[in-house]
Amino acid sequence: MHIMEGFLPATHCVVWAAASAPVVAYGAWRVKKIVEDQPNAKLLLASSGAFAFVLSALKLPSVTGSCSHPTGTGLGAILFGPSVMAVMGTIVLLFQALLLAHGGLTTLGANVFSMGIVGPFVSYGLYKVVRKIGGGLPLSVFLAASLGDFATYCTTALQLALAFPDPASGIAGSAAKFLGIFAMTQVPLAIAEGLLTVVVMNILTKYSQTELKSLNILDEGAQA
Amino acid sequence: MSLLRNNTFLMVLVALIVIVPLALPIAESMEAPFSGADDQAEGVIAQVAPDYKPWFSSIWEPPSGEIESLLFALQAALGTGVLAYYIGLRRGMAKAKDEA
């Protein structure tokens, strides 16, 4: 999902950066608030960021014969709300842009938008909806994390299509081409990300009940 | 006990998802098997907008594939370290509470 350095026209870079900046700023304020109001959740907050750090470093093979990576943003979005992951996503993407030449500074706004904003918001929204209609915790987490991952990659494909319309078939034509690469490759990886997020949530359900209760993931008095 | 609560089962599934593509004969029919999706997207850009020239390039690039793997491994290791510290700490605390 990394749009490479210099691979978006300057106007697009500015627009995506302007769209992402307020969410990242709000997320930073939320992080500060969580650290102040719920100091015992600090370590879990750091761990949510760490999970995104690990997963986005793992480039996995897909049945399409290409490689791509999960995003790891679903877990933190479910636990702390989506805007917090805009901050974590920015940190991960900056690390990769500066040290790995993956993504870039000019495309940072666009990449934060797909990985730090669209993915986490889709995860958070789906989690809430599935829980509301009676889905269990593991199932809700699985659907939220895997579809959030998938949404990030579809966003990248659409961002590229807007910037590079096909001369013959326009934006729709080039969207089909980019989705063909990103979305297809991502299907099994999104499933893997969903499963890994459930693994971590299962561990949290077992050992971090106090935090999950204070974050309203588990009901007070519930035995998971 | 739902299967989604069984971590061993989940980890086996994840391993299968990663191993199956490598075991399938898809690589043989491809010019550059298991290249990055990001690079393939670059190929599509070159095809739909052949005149586009990237207007900015990375300030620093890892000087070799080895250094790149090193930094990716570092990224994964840092994340794993924090996550494992947290899980170990909470597990120990839960155990201490049970024994108290």
Side-chain angles (χ1 to χ4, degrees):
Chain A
M1 47 63 62
H2 294 86
I3 301 179
M4 296 306 221
E5 187 77 282
F7 268 91
L8 275 186
T11 44
H12 288 250
C13 297
V14 172
V15 169
W16 291 118
S20 297
V23 187
V24 176
Y26 175 73
W29 178 79
R30 285 274 309 149
V31 168
K32 193 169 160 269
K33 199 129 178 63
I34 291 164
V35 170
E36 284 169 5
D37 299 351
Q38 293 169 286
N40 59 348
K42 244 190 303 191
L43 264 181
L44 182 57
L45 182 66
S47 304
S48 306
F51 185 66
F53 230 65
V54 183
L55 287 208
S56 60
L58 301 177
K59 291 194 260 187
L60 306 173
S62 168
V63 281
T64 53
S66 49
C67 277
S68 184
H69 61 88
T71 62
T73 56
L75 179 71
I78 292 166
L79 292 173
F80 294 102
S83 64
V84 165
M85 291 321 282
V87 179
M88 305 292 184
T90 306
I91 297 171
V92 173
L93 289 164
L94 262 179
F95 180 96
Q96 296 185 325
L98 293 173
L99 295 179
L100 291 155
H102 273 244
L105 296 177
T106 59
T107 51
L108 185 66
N111 290 333
V112 166
F113 193 82
S114 61
M115 181 176 148
I117 298 177
V118 173
F121 273 84
V122 167
S123 292
Y124 180 78
L126 268 172
Y127 170 77
K128 287 286 178 196
V129 169
V130 180
R131 286 294 266 173
K132 194 152 203 126
I133 58 175
L137 181 62
L139 179 68
S140 319
V141 169
F142 172 73
L143 291 173
S146 49
L147 291 169
D149 169 309
F150 192 67
T152 289
Y153 279 80
C154 292
T155 306
T156 304
L158 296 177
Q159 285 172 322
L160 285 170
L162 284 173
F164 301 102
D166 189 283
S169 49
I171 291 174
S174 96
K177 286 183 188 167
F178 287 116
L179 282 170
I181 294 173
F182 285 118
M184 299 301 279
T185 301
Q186 206 61 23
V187 171
L189 304 189
I191 295 171
E193 163 152 12
L195 297 172
L196 285 171
T197 310
V198 175
V199 167
V200 174
M201 192 60 93
N202 285 341
I203 295 173
L204 295 179
T205 317
K206 209 163 162 194
Y207 301 121
S208 300
Q209 296 202 357
T210 329
E211 280 142 301
L212 292 193
K213 281 172 190 165
S214 77
L215 295 168
N216 291 319
I217 303 291
L218 291 179
D219 292 333
E220 284 299 332
Q223 274 303 313
Chain B
M1 193 80 167
S2 133
L3 276 178
L4 275 178
R5 288 188 192 269
N6 184 335
N7 275 0
T8 312
F9 170 76
L10 296 177
M11 293 305 289
V12 170
L13 265 189
V14 172
L16 281 177
I17 290 174
V18 178
I19 294 166
V20 165
L22 298 175
L24 291 174
I26 32 181
E28 284 144 37
S29 60
M30 295 180 80
E31 240 174 79
F34 299 114
S35 61
D38 292 347
D39 297 337
Q40 295 183 2
E42 227 177 293
V44 174
I45 295 173
Q47 182 201 330
V48 297
D51 298 330
Y52 185 81
K53 294 261 181 304
W55 56 280
F56 198 80
S57 50
S58 299
I59 317 174
W60 186 78
E61 276 187 43
S64 74
E66 278 70 22
I67 306 295
E68 189 183 340
S69 327
L70 167 70
L71 290 165
F72 265 116
L74 179 71
Q75 188 191 331
L78 285 173
T80 311
V82 173
L83 202 58
Y85 170 82
Y86 172 79
I87 292 172
L89 181 73
R90 281 292 175 271
R91 188 171 178 212
M93 284 168 73
K95 215 175 155 201
K97 208 174 139 197
D98 284 348
E99 284 166 6

